[in-house]
Amino acid sequence: MKKKIVLFSLSAFMFLNSCNNSEKKHKINITDYILNIPENKNFEDKYIIIEFWATWCGPCLSAVPHINKLQEKYKSNKELVFISMTDEKAEKVLATLNRIEFKTIVVSDQTKKTHRDLEVEKNGIMAIPLTVLIDNKGVIKWKGLPEDLNEQKIDLFLKGGKLNVNKTKINTKNISLKNDFFEKAITIIKNKKIDTTFYLVKAKNENSSMIVNGLTNGKYIVQNKKLSNIISNFTDIPEEQIKISEKFNDLTYNLIYKNTTNKELPKELKIKILNRLNLKEKIYRKEEPVYSLKISNKSKLKISRKTEKNTGHNSESESHLISSGSNINNLIRQVSSTFKIVIVNKTGLNENYDLILSKESLEKLNIDLRSYGLTLEKNMLSTKIYKYE
C-alpha cells in the first residue's frame, strides 16, 4: 500500500463561499452525543448554529470561549441550538473535554456525512474551524469564521433576515488550493520520473506556513519557515540549541527536497542547505540552564489511539499547546519554541501521545505534564550548541 504525504499547515488559508443561494434542505447526521446531551435530539424544526472543530486544531480550541459566550447569551431560546461537531471518536474527544470547557452540545459525525453535505470538507480539504447557520427549514443561511459570528448576525438569523457575506477566509487542516508554491511542490513530489530535487528560495510575503515531513520516504516540503526551524525539524535538534547568523534572522524560506535513492537523507539535506546559503557549522558546548523531560508516573501515560491515517498534529490555541497523536520529540520542539528553553528528552518514549498543555507559564505547563505522568526538571548542564554562520 502506498504511503501518503500528510499535510498540516499552521496558518493555511482557503476561500469558501459563505453560503449558496439554493433552498436545499440539510439534515445533521450525528453518530455520537458526547457532552451536554439534550433530552430532545430532534433538531429538524430548530435554528442550528453548528461549529466544526477537531481536538488537534489550535484555532478551533481558541474559538471555544466565543461560542460558549454566545451559548450563554441565548440559552433561554428553546428554538436555537448550539452544536460543536467533530469527526473523531468519542474517547479521543472526551480527553480534550476534560481540559477545555464546552457549553455547547458536543457531537461527532464519524461518517463525515454532515461535513461533506455542508461542504466543510470538499475535494479532500477540511476547512476548520468553521461556523454554519441553518434555519428551522434546514436551509444554510451563513458560513464563516467563528469570530465573525456575533449577536447581531444571530438576531437577524432568527428573524429570517438575509445575511450578506460572500467570501470568508477559513483556517484549514490542509494547504490552500490556490497556493502556487504548494502546487509546484506536489507536482514534483508525485512525478515518478523525478528521483532527486533540491529547491530552496526566500519566501515572499506568504500567508501560509507549513512543514510536510516525509523525510523517511525521501520527501520534504517547507513553506515560509525560518532556517532554525527548518533545521530543527529534520535533525530533531531543539531550536533553542541552534544559532543562526544574524543576517538570516528576518528571513523565511520555501524548500522542496526529494531523494528516493539516498538513505542518508537528513545529513545530505543539511549539507545542501548549508552549501546553498554558504554557511559553516560549528558545534561547541556551553554550560546553561537545561530542562530534562522525564517520566514521573508511567501509569498515567496513555498511548494515542491510532487514527485512520495514523497521523500526528502539533498546534496551539491562544492558551494551550496541543499534541495529538504526536511523538515526544515533536512535543519538545513545540515547548522549547514557546518558552525559549532547551529541553532534552530523558523519557526513552517512542510512541505517540495526546496532550493539552498550558502556555500561561512553565509552572502551569509542568502541572499539566505531571497529570500525564511527565515532568520537566531544570539543571545547569553542558549542552551542545549548533552555530551556523
Side-chain angles (χ1 to χ4, degrees), residues 40 54 59-60 73 83 87-90 94 102 107 120 144 159 163 173 214 237 250 256-257 263 265 279 289 337 367:
N40 181 7
C60 299
K73 172 73 177 178
I83 298 173
D87 63 350
E88 300 166 287
K89 293 182 178 179
L94 283 169
F102 279 72
V107 303
V120 178
K159 292 175 183 177
L163 295 167
K173 173 183 175 181
I237 301 169
D250 298 323
I256 305 171
Y257 175 69
K263 295 182 180 180
L265 298 174
L279 289 169
S337 178
I367 290 171

Side-chain angles (χ1 to χ4, degrees), residues 67-95:
I67 198 169
N68 282 346
K69 186 177 179 180
L70 292 173
Q71 159 76 56
E72 283 294 293
K73 172 73 177 178
Y74 291 91
K75 65 181 179 182
S76 62
N77 189 330
K78 304 304 179 183
E79 301 305 311
L80 175 64
V81 293
F82 288 80
I83 298 173
S84 295
M85 176 174 279
T86 179
D87 63 350
E88 300 166 287
K89 293 182 178 179
E91 181 181 347
K92 186 174 181 65
V93 176
L94 283 169

Side-chain angles (χ1 to χ4, degrees), residues 360-375:
E360 187 174 333
S361 66
L362 269 174
E363 290 72 22
K364 290 194 174 182
L365 175 123
N366 218 356
I367 290 171
D368 286 345
L369 281 172
R370 284 195 289 271
S371 72
Y372 291 109
L374 301 170
T375 188

Side-chain angles (χ1 to χ4, degrees), residues 27-34 50 52 84-89 106-117 126:
K27 185 177 180 180
I28 305 302
N29 185 66
I30 295 172
T31 57
D32 307 87
Y33 285 88
I34 303 172
I50 181 168
F52 292 87
S84 295
M85 176 174 279
T86 179
D87 63 350
E88 300 166 287
K89 293 182 178 179
V106 181
V107 303
S108 179
D109 178 10
Q110 294 187 48
T111 69
K112 289 194 186 180
K113 288 180 182 177
T114 309
H115 297 70
R116 290 189 288 269
D117 181 44
M126 179 89 83

